[in-house]
């Protein structure tokens, strides 16, 4: 379909006509208009002078050096090296900065305190046995014993030189168990098995060379 | 290779360049380096600076190939990089702050005392007239008549609207015509 262009629009097409960037249709219509439009022809003439200037212009420009591509490549290589050096330096700087910032401020101390506090809370929640009043004096290394209401307990103070092996032998022989101790004054609390005679045990403890003091807990 | 095939090839080469294909980069360089060098030479007016900036331009192309979004032609994108770097170079020289603020440029100072027009043929007069118009006008005419860009491509390169490009081309033509008229009158007087 034929487009009707105004002279103003046709004039704007002149540079594109001269540089070959008009479409085939635009080119044909431009040339048709040119035959009957002297104003357009004058304008084309002005631009043609400019176009003439560019004919052979390439020959007038001094040619670039023949090694330009290799210079481009070596520039790229050197930039890449620089970038990698700067990345390494950046990493080192970041680490240095991290340590400087960490140790030069009270943040680390506060963080440690917070972690410790959190650990304490977690342990308290996870191990509520410590909150149990009946059990809070249980010797940690000893076995857990079920203590009935009628169970008899004995206070014992061992000799300072007594060996653990000797204590174990005595406890096994008498079927007694440490349930608490030592207290600051060296007292252990022992529980007597229900099938044992307390008096006999007390007598044996009294006669034992490894025990300094013995008495029933009331 | 026609224009469309060439555009598609340049795109293909840039995509390969983006993943570090040096052969593709070399081919892209071969396809575009002359035009870029010419453009730079016309902006910077000396070979050494044009070469130095050309090296930076293609270094940027290598490094920035991944960032190309395909919104314009590859050559237009490269011209955009070239223009930015050339402007930086001009700023460094403190020669001109911005090409758009360029005063009328005179390449041939001998005209101050009156050019030797006796030996000047028609082509030389045209050349002389062209050298007297501003760099801004020279640049837009270079892009139309030497680089054979359309208005949209010029707009993408210069980062101005298509209408501004059209207007600038016609102002450039008027400035050229005025200079040409002055020189021809002077020539006739002789």
């Amino acid at each position: 379909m034929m487009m009707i262009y105004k002279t103003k629009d046709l004039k704007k097409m002149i540079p594109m006509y001269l540089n070959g960037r008009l479409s085939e249709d635009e080119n044909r219509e431009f040339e048709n208009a040119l035959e009957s439009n002297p104003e357009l022809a004058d304008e084309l003439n002005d631009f043609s002078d400019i176009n003439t200037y560019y004919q052979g212009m390439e020959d007038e420009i001094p040619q670039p050096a023949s090694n330009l591509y290799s210079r481009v490549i070596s520039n790229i290589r050197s930039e890449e090296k620089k970038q990698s050096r700067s990345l390494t330096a950046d990493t080192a700087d970041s680490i240095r900065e991290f340590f400087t910032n960490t140790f030069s401020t009270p943040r680390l101390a506060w963080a440690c305190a917070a972690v410790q506090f959190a650990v304490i809370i977690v342990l308290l929640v996870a191990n509520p046995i410590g909150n149990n009043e009946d059990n809070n004096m249980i010797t940690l290394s000893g076995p857990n014993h079920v203590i009935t209401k009628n169970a008899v307990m004995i206070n014992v103070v061992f000799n300072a030189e007594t060996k653990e092996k000797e204590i174990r032998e005595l406890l096994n022989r008498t079927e007694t168990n440490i349930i608490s101790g030592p207290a600051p004054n060296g007292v252990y609390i022992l529980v007597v098995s229900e099938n044992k005679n307390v008096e006999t045990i007390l007598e044996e403890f009294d006669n034992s060379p490894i025990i300094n003091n013995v008495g029933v807990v009331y | 290779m026609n224009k469309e095939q060439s555009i598609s090839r340049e795109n293909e080469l840039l995509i390969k360049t983006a993943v570090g294909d040096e052969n593709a980069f070399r081919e892209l360089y071969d396809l575009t380096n002359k035009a870029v060098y010419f453009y730079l030479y016309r902006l910077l007016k000396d070979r050494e600076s044009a070469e130095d900036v050309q090296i930076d331009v293609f270094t940027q192309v290598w490094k920035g190939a991944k960032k190309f979004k395909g919104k314009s032609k590859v050559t237009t994108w490269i011209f955009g990089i070239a223009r930015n770097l050339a402007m930086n170079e001009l700023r460094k020289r403190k020669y001109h702050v911005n090409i758009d603020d360029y005063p009328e440029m005179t390449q041939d100072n001998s005209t101050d005392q009156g050019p030797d027009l006796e030996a000047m043929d028609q082509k030389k007069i045209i050349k002389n007239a062209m050298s007297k118009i501003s760099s801004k006008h020279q640049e837009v005419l270079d892009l139309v008549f030497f680089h054979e860009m359309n208005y949209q491509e010029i707009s993408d390169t210069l980062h101005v609207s298509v209408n501004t490009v059209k207007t600038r081309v016609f102002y450039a033509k008027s400035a050229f015509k005025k200079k040409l008229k002055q020189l021809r009158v002077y020539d006739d007087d002789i």
Side-chain angles (χ1 to χ4, degrees), chain B residues 99-130:
Chain B
I99 195 165
D100 292 346
D101 302 329
Y102 271 11
E104 302 290 298
M105 293 261 315
T106 49
Q107 283 186 320
D108 183 0
N109 292 333
S110 65
T111 51
D112 293 345
Q113 292 95 38
D116 178 14
L117 294 174
E118 238 171 342
M120 208 183 257
D121 60 11
Q122 180 66 10
K123 199 169 177 187
K124 279 183 182 166
I125 294 174
I126 289 173
K127 190 178 169 185
N128 204 330
M130 190 59 83

Side-chain angles (χ1 to χ4, degrees), chain A:
Chain A
M1 202 180 102
M2 232 356 223
M3 282 267 301
I4 306 295
Y5 289 102
K6 290 179 183 169
T7 302
K8 191 179 87 177
D9 296 326
L10 286 164
K11 281 183 178 176
K12 284 180 183 167
M13 288 163 80
I14 295 172
M16 298 299 113
Y17 172 72
L18 288 170
N19 75 5
R21 297 302 301 268
L22 290 185
S23 68
E24 271 182 40
D25 287 346
E26 286 171 332
N27 210 54
R28 194 169 39 248
E29 288 182 34
F30 180 85
E31 285 177 349
N32 286 340
L34 198 59
E35 286 171 15
S36 57
N37 191 333
E39 197 184 334
L40 187 62
D42 280 350
E43 192 82 10
L44 176 65
N45 205 32
D46 290 343
F47 272 110
S48 296
D49 278 342
I50 296 174
N51 203 25
T52 307
Y53 167 74
Y54 286 95
Q55 308 300 317
M57 162 67 82
E58 202 173 341
D59 300 333
E60 291 181 18
I61 300 285
Q63 291 298 304
S66 54
N67 66 345
L68 209 52
Y69 181 74
S70 57
R71 284 167 64 193
V72 169
I73 291 297
S74 60
N75 193 48
I76 288 170
R77 298 276 173 273
S78 106
E79 293 243 330
E80 282 173 346
K81 264 187 200 165
K82 236 187 275 172
Q83 201 180 354
S84 109
R85 266 202 300 268
S86 116
L87 271 178
T88 314
D90 282 353
T91 313
D93 283 348
S94 306
I95 294 169
R96 199 175 305 120
E97 196 181 351
F98 171 77
F99 281 106
T100 311
N101 288 344
T102 307
F103 292 110
S104 65
T105 66
R107 271 193 301 183
L108 184 66
W110 279 111
C112 288
V115 169
Q116 285 174 338
F117 181 73
V119 168
I120 290 166
I121 296 295
V122 166
L123 289 176
L124 282 176
V125 170
N127 186 20
I129 196 160
N131 297 332
N132 187 332
E133 212 173 295
D134 292 337
N135 293 331
N136 60 0
M137 294 301 283
I138 286 177
T139 305
L140 293 177
S141 59
N144 285 333
H145 299 282
V146 178
I147 301 165
T148 60
K149 270 187 178 177
N150 301 325
V152 177
M153 287 177 280
I154 303 169
N155 283 331
V156 171
V157 178
F158 293 100
N159 277 335
E161 287 79 25
T162 308
K163 292 177 181 167
E164 187 187 338
K165 191 184 167 191
E166 293 169 327
I167 297 174
R168 282 187 191 285
E169 279 170 5
L170 179 67
L171 296 179
N172 285 339
R173 197 166 58 246
T174 56
E175 294 181 34
T176 52
N177 286 293
I178 296 172
I179 58 165
S180 179
N185 54 4
V187 175
Y188 285 86
I189 301 174
L190 274 59
V191 63
V192 180
S193 297
E194 282 182 18
N195 57 347
K196 295 297 278 184
N197 185 317
V198 179
E199 295 303 322
T200 314
I201 289 170
L202 284 173
E203 194 181 328
E204 183 169 353
F205 279 11
D206 252 346
N207 297 327
S208 170
I210 65 168
I211 289 177
N212 275 351
N213 225 328
V214 63
V216 176
V217 177
Y218 295 102

